[in-house]
Amino acid sequence: MGLNLVLVDHHDTNVDLSGENIEVIKAKNLVDFYKKVRNYLEKDYDLIVSDEDPDGITSVIIYSLFKDKLVNFEGNRKGIKKEDLSSLKTKGVSTILAFDWFALCYSDLEIFDKIIYLNPKSSNLINVNTSEIIYRALPETEKLGRDISTIGTVCDYLVDTSKEKFKEFIEDYKELFPELLELARQNKLDRYNAYNVNGKNTKLYDLSLMFWAPFIIESDEGNKKLINSIIKEKKLDIKSLLDKNNSHYLINMYKELLSLITNEKNNFYSKSKIIDDKFYFYEPITHKNGFMSKFSSIITDELPKDKVIIMKSKSDNGKLKYSLRTRENKYQLGKILNSLGVGGGHDEAAGCIINQEKEEWFESELIKLINQKI
Ligand SMILES: [Mn+2]
């Protein structure tokens, strides 16, 4: 029995896609792309895997709404490897659908008989995030699908490429987002003002933390609870979620996450190491999956535009995990990591995992390559 993989992604990648088992699907425009994605989403899969960030998780939720059932889901941050083959076989898994980039970046691609790769970037289309792709491909998920997808997009910082969706969302809940209404109507909403207007965090910021919190606080279990609760109830009451007197699971997780962030911020501003008045090196004291990724983004939004935030943490297997952030897209962080052959991502947000002995080499190359772009 062979193994087949369908991958929906939106990242720049340095992964070699020329293998004979890999088919890169091209499209004329986004509408055509969504139609092609839909053809694959209509099929059934033995297993769904996704990144464990909200973009991956919201994609799984929207797909489950479309299938009208809880799909067989596994969060995956290490890719699908040779050594997983026998357990996949035992579980009867021969078809896998994967959302977002971990599956491509870290899987052993040669173990698959066939890989279908769906990424708008393969056709030079704009960067729409995975939950936007899944929702646009499955519009019958309607308002609930749209709301989940809106949160997935705001968590993935791709507000700019999904403006229509935000306009509808803000209009539907205008009493909750009074400061965003005019911005949305005038097409001026972007990833920064979506989170913060006049120095005050918006409720979109709160929603984004609510969808990050289950995983950061409770790991895989948290994401499963998040998925299950929405699929079971077939609703997400945005208004009551934003009422902090409620005792909804997501609100409790959110409050725990907020206190971790406050604590970590205090430590960051006293302990980060600043090089060339530009590079902020920092090792978070909170060791929770996904925390560093979210925290580095929060800090980046607080610092001046030209700074580069480089956070690292040691993972269980002794490797070093890096989270790179900036608001200056000319630094092209994802491409720099690609060129060093260690990871990837976007211009303003990228990440990689390296062996510990490469630490010095990596950090000095990073500083050198970013300085070359100034
Ligand atoms: Mn994404």
Side-chain angles (χ1 to χ4, degrees), residues 295-323:
F295 182 68
S296 56
S297 297
I298 291 173
I299 287 293
T300 307
D301 288 350
E302 287 191 4
L303 291 174
K305 191 170 181 248
D306 65 323
K307 309 299 179 197
V308 181
I309 286 69
I310 300 161
M311 294 199 186
K312 66 177 160 189
S313 77
K314 213 175 279 169
S315 62
D316 318 331
N317 52 10
K319 295 197 175 202
L320 287 173
K321 188 169 183 223
Y322 283 85
S323 212

Side-chain angles (χ1 to χ4, degrees), residues 219-257:
S219 202
D220 298 349
E221 221 25 63
N223 267 343
K224 288 214 159 138
K225 282 187 202 165
L226 168 60
I227 296 171
N228 293 2
S229 73
I230 296 174
I231 298 307
K232 222 162 85 197
E233 293 170 23
K234 284 208 181 112
K235 71 173 187 17
L236 184 72
D237 187 340
I238 304 279
K239 198 173 169 188
S240 75
L241 265 189
L242 291 170
D243 175 358
K244 286 177 187 133
N245 298 319
N246 262 329
S247 64
H248 192 285
Y249 169 68
L250 288 180
I251 299 175
N252 296 337
M253 292 296 103
Y254 159 83
K255 286 179 179 164
E256 275 192 50
L257 178 56

Side-chain angles (χ1 to χ4, degrees), residues 32 38 49 73 87-88 144 146-147 158 169 197 205 213 233 275 294 321 343 365:
D32 184 37
R38 182 185 178 89
V49 302
F73 162 74
S87 98
L88 286 172
L144 181 53
R146 183 206 63 192
D147 288 356
L158 285 167
F169 178 86
V197 174
Y205 175 84
E233 293 170 23
I275 295 176
K294 184 64 197 165
K321 188 169 183 223
E365 283 298 304

Side-chain angles (χ1 to χ4, degrees), residues 172-305:
D172 275 359
Y173 298 105
K174 44 175 158 314
E175 72 284 6
L176 298 172
F177 308 99
E179 73 280 47
L180 297 178
L181 191 56
E182 274 314 303
L183 289 167
R185 282 178 179 167
Q186 293 170 23
N187 263 325
K188 286 185 183 155
L189 207 63
D190 62 32
R191 54 163 288 192
Y192 299 108
N193 58 28
Y195 276 159
N196 191 294
V197 174
N198 297 328
K200 206 173 164 286
N201 286 334
T202 67
K203 291 194 167 71
L204 279 179
Y205 175 84
D206 297 328
L207 284 173
S208 92
L209 286 188
M210 277 179 209
F211 272 64
W212 268 106
F215 178 63
I216 293 175
I217 305 296
E218 298 195 330
S219 202
D220 298 349
E221 221 25 63
N223 267 343
K224 288 214 159 138
K225 282 187 202 165
L226 168 60
I227 296 171
N228 293 2
S229 73
I230 296 174
I231 298 307
K232 222 162 85 197
E233 293 170 23
K234 284 208 181 112
K235 71 173 187 17
L236 184 72
D237 187 340
I238 304 279
K239 198 173 169 188
S240 75
L241 265 189
L242 291 170
D243 175 358
K244 286 177 187 133
N245 298 319
N246 262 329
S247 64
H248 192 285
Y249 169 68
L250 288 180
I251 299 175
N252 296 337
M253 292 296 103
Y254 159 83
K255 286 179 179 164
E256 275 192 50
L257 178 56
L258 263 192
S259 88
L260 286 178
I261 290 171
T262 308
N263 194 24
E264 193 75 54
K265 266 190 195 176
N266 292 335
N267 197 58
F268 173 87
Y269 284 110
S270 61
K271 301 260 171 64
S272 59
K273 194 173 107 197
I274 307 167
I275 295 176
D276 295 347
D277 192 31
K278 172 182 298 297
F279 301 95
Y280 284 67
F281 283 87
Y282 180 66
E283 243 182 283
I285 44 173
T286 307
H287 296 282
K288 284 188 168 295
N289 285 331
F291 180 81
M292 184 168 74
S293 172
K294 184 64 197 165
F295 182 68
S296 56
S297 297
I298 291 173
I299 287 293
T300 307
D301 288 350
E302 287 191 4
L303 291 174
K305 191 170 181 248

Side-chain angles (χ1 to χ4, degrees), residues 10-11 55 100 156:
H10 66 109
H11 290 79
D55 188 25
D100 236 20
D156 234 28

Side-chain angles (χ1 to χ4, degrees), residues 98-150:
F99 296 130
D100 236 20
W101 76 306
F102 270 88
L104 176 76
C105 237
Y106 298 113
S107 292
D108 295 330
L109 300 183
E110 71 278 7
I111 65 175
F112 296 96
D113 290 280
K114 177 104 191 155
I115 297 173
I116 298 290
Y117 186 59
L118 295 146
N119 182 336
K121 291 206 163 161
S122 310
S123 309
N124 294 315
L125 301 172
I126 57 166
N127 186 13
V128 280
N129 72 303
T130 308
S131 71
E132 166 81 352
I133 297 169
I134 305 306
Y135 165 61
R136 293 297 176 194
L138 306 172
E140 55 272 76
T141 57
E142 291 188 317
K143 194 169 170 228
L144 181 53
R146 183 206 63 192
D147 288 356
I148 307 277
S149 167
T150 302

